[in-house]
Amino acid sequence: MLQNFYVLLSVAVFFSFWLLLDKNPKIFTSVLLILGMGTHYATSGGGMVLFQGITQNMPLLAILILAPLLSVPLKREGVIGSTVSYLDNLKNNQRMFFYGLSSVTAVVSPILNMGALRIVHGFVENIKVAPKTLSKSYYIGFAPAVIWSPFFASVGIVIFYLDITYVSYLPVGIAFAFLQMVCGILLFGPQASRKREVEMPNSSQTGTEQKKHVFMLFSYVIFLIVLLISMEQLVHKSMLLLVSIVCLIVPFIWFTMRGTTAIFKKELFLYKDKMLTQTKTEICLFLSAGVFGNAISHTPVKTALEQLMQWATLQSIGILFLLIVVCVTLFAMMGVHQIITVPLILTALISGDIYIHPSLIAFMCIFSWMLSSALSPLNALNIIVAASVKRNGIMVAYKWNGAYLLFISLMGLTYVYVLNFVLRN
């Protein structure tokens, strides 16, 4: 009875937000839902089975919805604003500005998810900086977080399906993310200017305050990650559940200690408005994609995918990696979200007669998710960056960041071979 109520509530949520969507998202999510329901009807009959899978992506949706709450203490304490405002002093030196903006984005992205791009750009959009520099900073600062952060659906869904702990994957993800970040900053930043035109803060007190806030921001991120790892080791529950709990508890503790009733009401209304304007598409997409993905997993498509993966495994680990990257990216370019394709690939790799170390499978799928998000003009990362710099997604991804994405793809391929050797010995 509770399960049926849960499904009915999810259906009600879907249609409530679906009515608020724009034309294109409304059509796309409708097609996903209808195709999923039709497939279920053809294979299993009618009734509640038609909506089987609508709750499949709910844990990931919970993270997407709840993660912005973690920014409330940072904004109210002035930490993000103070940190980003320091970049205004670097606006005349695009190379230093690039280093600073990439670093700030890299620090806040692991906990704020897509909200990090919106929040950071809100502070720097009035600074006159070349759009190309902005886009590079956002890509290089944000992309590594997709590889390792438990606050991202890419990491959450993969470790959930593989039934592995976050701790077992963390060294694999964080090592590559570090290399990706360092190489991106050193190799793909703007050229150094011949003139030193950097304006330094006028007040030493202001500089001290900003350094304090930078330290607080970094400490906040480290605290949340350590807290999650500790909780996972103590209670042995899904990381998706633990992330959702932390997203609720941490702001609640801050409100109890520092907030007021007026602040609470204001943040509550702001949060509601963001749900209705910025997150409505993701809510409908995740729910309808759950129905569609669950339906597809009961069709011959799954068998064909398993056979393709088995063939690639017999060739080499590199060919398997490239196949996963190509499949996920091509589907993403056609508008099929990774929330559909990655679970199908994971199911094929798990259920097929294939043995590859789970951490290696996790990395290949998460890397594919990250790369396809950056390349596809129909994915949130590309859409948000393109809208921020007021250019089209093709220019942002391929002309301005194409060399960076090609480099990290080659680096990812090399990393897979090294990782496979290390894990097998």
Side-chain angles (χ1 to χ4, degrees):
M1 183 179 68
L2 288 174
Q3 180 65 28
N4 288 336
F5 176 74
Y6 180 33
V7 172
L8 287 172
L9 187 61
S10 301
V11 173
V13 168
F14 172 82
F15 284 109
S16 297
F17 280 95
W18 182 82
L19 294 172
L20 305 174
L21 294 181
D22 296 329
K23 182 180 177 181
N24 290 337
K26 187 177 286 188
I27 293 173
F28 183 67
T29 53
S30 299
V31 169
L32 283 180
L33 184 67
I34 292 170
L35 287 176
M37 292 174 64
T39 305
H40 277 309
Y41 181 79
T43 57
S44 307
M48 294 298 292
V49 177
L50 293 177
F51 294 101
Q52 185 176 345
I54 196 167
T55 61
Q56 181 171 294
N57 298 323
M58 195 65 76
L60 307 174
L61 187 55
I63 294 178
L64 183 71
I65 292 173
L66 297 175
L69 292 174
L70 293 172
S71 68
V72 174
L74 296 175
K75 288 189 294 183
R76 286 292 174 177
E77 296 293 337
V79 173
I80 294 181
S82 175
T83 302
V84 178
S85 66
Y86 182 74
L87 298 174
D88 189 50
N89 301 308
L90 307 175
K91 61 186 177 184
N92 293 323
N93 187 318
Q94 293 215 1
R95 197 180 195 198
M96 293 303 297
F97 180 87
F98 166 80
Y99 289 157
L101 183 57
S102 298
S103 300
V104 170
T105 306
V107 172
V108 299
S109 295
I111 59 171
L112 300 184
N113 209 302
M114 290 297 174
L117 293 174
R118 293 188 175 105
I119 291 172
V120 172
H121 186 70
F123 284 102
V124 302
E125 62 182 339
N126 295 323
I127 301 176
K128 294 182 179 180
V129 179
K132 183 177 181 180
T133 302
L134 277 180
S135 75
K136 284 189 173 186
S137 297
Y138 291 150
Y139 263 65
I140 291 172
F142 185 87
V146 185
I147 293 288
W148 72 271
S149 173
F151 291 91
F152 278 79
S154 54
V155 176
I157 193 171
V158 170
I159 64 175
F160 178 76
Y161 272 85
L162 290 173
D163 194 24
I164 60 176
T165 63
Y166 176 65
V167 174
S168 65
Y169 170 73
L170 180 59
V172 172
I174 200 74
F176 184 82
F178 176 76
L179 292 173
Q180 181 181 344
M181 179 74 184
V182 171
C183 291
I185 286 181
L186 295 180
L187 298 179
F188 298 98
Q191 296 298 316
S193 174
R194 291 183 181 179
K195 299 188 222 177
R196 293 185 60 85
E197 301 176 339
V198 182
E199 298 175 16
M200 299 308 293
N202 296 325
S203 168
S204 59
Q205 183 178 359
T206 302
T208 302
E209 187 72 13
Q210 287 171 334
K211 290 178 182 178
K212 175 186 174 183
H213 284 153
V214 169
F215 176 76
M216 288 174 62
L217 177 60
F218 189 75
S219 300
Y220 186 64
V221 175
I222 297 298
F223 165 73
L224 291 177
I225 300 300
V226 172
L227 177 62
L228 284 170
I229 293 174
S230 302
M231 290 173 66
E232 185 184 50
Q233 297 299 303
L234 289 173
V235 300
H236 304 289
K237 295 294 182 180
S238 165
M239 181 57 70
L240 295 172
L241 172 64
L242 299 179
V243 168
S244 300
I245 292 173
V246 167
C247 289
L248 288 170
I249 289 179
V250 171
F252 176 78
I253 293 175
W254 181 85
F255 276 119
T256 303
M257 297 176 63
R258 302 272 291 175
T260 64
T261 304
I263 291 176
F264 178 79
K265 288 181 179 179
K266 184 175 181 179
E267 289 295 334
L268 190 62
F269 282 111
L270 286 173
Y271 182 71
K272 183 202 69 173
D273 291 340
K274 286 181 180 179
M275 289 300 102
L276 296 176
T277 56
Q278 297 180 2
T279 318
K280 58 186 179 182
T281 302
E282 285 85 352
I283 291 173
C284 291
L285 175 62
F286 274 50
L287 295 177
S288 58
V291 177
F292 180 75
N294 185 275
I296 292 297
S297 66
H298 293 88
T299 66
V301 171
K302 177 186 171 184
T303 304
L305 196 57
E306 285 178 3
Q307 293 173 348
L308 188 61
M309 294 297 164
Q310 288 174 349
W311 171 83
T313 306
L314 293 174
Q315 306 307 309
S316 72
I317 194 67
I319 291 179
L320 177 63
F321 171 71
L322 292 175
L323 178 63
I324 294 173
V325 169
V326 170
C327 283
V328 175
T329 303
L330 285 178
F331 277 109
M333 295 295 293
M334 293 185 290
V336 181
H337 199 274
Q338 298 89 338
I339 201 73
I340 299 172
T341 52
V342 169
L344 285 175
I345 290 172
L346 283 169
T347 304
L349 290 171
I350 294 169
S351 59
D353 187 20
I354 300 172
Y355 179 75
I356 302 174
H357 197 283
S359 294
L360 183 54
I361 295 177
F363 173 76
M364 290 190 291
C365 290
I366 294 171
F367 179 90
S368 301
W369 191 311
M370 179 271 295
L371 184 66
S372 58
S373 296
L375 286 171
S376 172
L378 300 177
N379 266 245
L381 171 57
N382 186 285
I383 290 172
I384 293 174
V385 174
S388 298
V389 300
K390 296 179 174 57
R391 297 293 190 277
N392 66 71
I394 298 297
M395 175 177 286
V396 167
Y398 295 88
K399 185 176 180 180
W400 288 349
N401 292 284
Y404 166 68
L405 296 175
L406 177 61
F407 177 82
I408 63 172
S409 297
L410 296 174
M411 191 168 71
L413 179 61
T414 305
Y415 191 73
V416 163
Y417 276 107
V418 173
L419 192 60
N420 185 52
F421 175 80
V422 171
L423 294 175
R424 291 180 64 179
N425 294 282

